[in-house]
Amino acid sequence: MMRKSWAGAAVLTLVLALAACGGEDAAKKAETKAAAGSGASTLTVTVATATLQNLPRTVTASGNVSAWEEVPVGAETGGLTATGVFVDEGSYVRQGQPLVQMNPALLQAQLRQQQAAVQTAEANAARDDAALGRAQELKERGFLSQAGLDTALANQRASQANLAAARASLSETRTRLSQATIRAPVSGLVISRSVTRGQIISPGTELFRIVRDGRLELDAQVPETELRLVRAGQSAVISSDQVGETTGTVRIVTPEVNPETRLGVARIALRGGGFRPGMFARARIQVGDQPAVTVPTASVLYRENRAGVFVMGTDGRAHFRPVTVLSRAADRTAVSGIEAGVRVVVEGAGFLGEGDRVTVAGARPAAAPARAAARAPAAAAKK
């Protein structure tokens, strides 16, 4: 009987030991299978929350430099030869400064002729005035009929009319003679010249083009989504790879948007600099403090030339979300495309792929409870 009892106890102990070993192996196999089935990265990362802040906002735009006001200069009197051209492109002229001198010989001859015609008309008018005076005196004495007085009056009026016509012709000739010297209508910078010495100038032909007061402005093309932020009077920094930077002020924002490009135009008056009409330049317009969603600068990545951040999903996976960078600082970057309160990956974001499973540093791993539950039967069997 004793031998049978010891044999039964040994068999029971062996069975329990095998069961315990089998349970622990099963738990390990379950953990391995779960890890293999996940197929995701187990990289440990840090996360931060996107917040809404009021930040100095800058609108970036680009466009071509143009004249604030271009003034064409032409000839009012034509058919004369240019005998002198006094300015060239790039010259700064003052209002009233001579630009071109045309040959005045013909007009001077006409002027002398008109002066002689005026003298003749003045003499005739003086003669008819005297004749009218005598006729009125004779009429009062009864020695002249009413018809004779009317004739004297008509002659006097005709001579006065001839004198007025002669004086008007003289004034016209003097005006044309003064127009033989073409002068600058405004002060400004000459940007084009299309006249040469010896050229016969026709009336209305454009000879010069002047930028009034030398003022230039940038026709900045602003996206319609940001056009509402730009206002007249806001300051801007204008830059060009050729001439460097200068400052400016938004003069006006045009009231329409191009339906094809979806761009509006902000005209920015430039202050100094070596800019010239037609140059390409960029502008950074300071539009004041604006609410914006900000994330840590280290969380912003570039994938396929697109900015974006990895956003933590509810399933513990990281998903790439494209964003638009509005402004960038050393620690925080303002973006659009995500909402405030979203958790973004900071450290370790550069090693992630779309949909990778991650472990957040400082958080309890999700696999720990499952591992403890799998090991519980084995521990109970050992006892």
Side-chain angles (χ1 to χ4, degrees), residues 47-234:
V47 299
T49 303
T51 58
L52 188 65
Q53 296 179 336
N54 282 331
L55 298 177
R57 180 75 177 275
T58 299
V59 173
T60 303
S62 61
N64 296 324
V65 177
S66 63
W68 166 61
E69 184 176 323
E70 288 188 6
V71 180
V73 181
E76 297 177 271
T77 296
L80 303 178
T81 303
T83 58
V85 179
F86 307 128
V87 297
D88 209 339
E89 290 101 340
S91 301
Y92 193 92
V93 297
R94 299 292 179 183
Q95 184 175 1
Q97 178 179 336
L99 305 179
V100 177
Q101 178 62 56
M102 294 187 290
N103 187 359
L106 178 61
L107 295 177
Q108 288 173 345
Q110 292 177 354
L111 179 65
R112 290 192 293 270
Q113 182 181 6
Q114 295 299 329
Q115 288 173 338
V118 168
Q119 292 174 355
T120 301
E122 289 175 343
N124 293 336
R127 181 197 62 195
D128 291 338
D129 287 343
L132 178 60
R134 290 192 300 269
Q136 289 174 340
E137 183 180 355
L138 292 174
K139 178 66 171 62
E140 292 175 356
R141 294 180 180 181
F143 297 111
L144 186 66
S145 65
Q146 184 62 41
L149 180 60
D150 292 343
T151 300
L153 181 60
N155 292 337
Q156 189 269 343
R157 290 178 176 176
S159 62
Q160 290 293 333
N162 291 334
L163 176 59
R167 287 175 176 172
S169 298
L170 177 62
S171 177
E172 178 186 358
T173 304
R174 283 176 175 168
T175 301
R176 294 181 60 198
L177 183 60
S178 67
Q179 292 173 350
T181 302
I182 300 175
R183 301 178 182 274
V186 296
S187 299
L189 180 68
V190 178
I191 61 173
S192 69
R193 190 195 84 172
S194 56
V195 59
T196 58
R197 187 175 181 178
Q199 174 181 340
I200 298 177
I201 299 176
S202 301
T205 302
E206 181 178 309
L207 308 178
F208 299 93
R209 187 167 287 270
I210 299 176
V211 176
R212 185 176 180 181
D213 298 329
R215 291 172 55 181
L216 300 177
E217 61 184 19
L218 176 66
D219 297 335
Q221 307 288 323
V222 182
E224 64 175 349
T225 55
E226 298 179 320
L227 194 63
R228 61 181 179 82
L229 303 176
V230 182
R231 298 287 186 273
Q234 294 173 340

Side-chain angles (χ1 to χ4, degrees), residues 1 21 23 29 50-51 76 129 140 165 207 211 218 227 237 249 262 280 285 299 313 371:
M1 290 291 295
C21 292
K29 290 180 180 180
T51 58
E76 297 177 271
D129 287 343
E140 292 175 356
L207 308 178
V211 176
L218 176 66
L227 194 63
V237 177
T249 303
R262 317 310 303 177
F280 175 81
I285 306 171
S299 67
R371 188 180 297 113

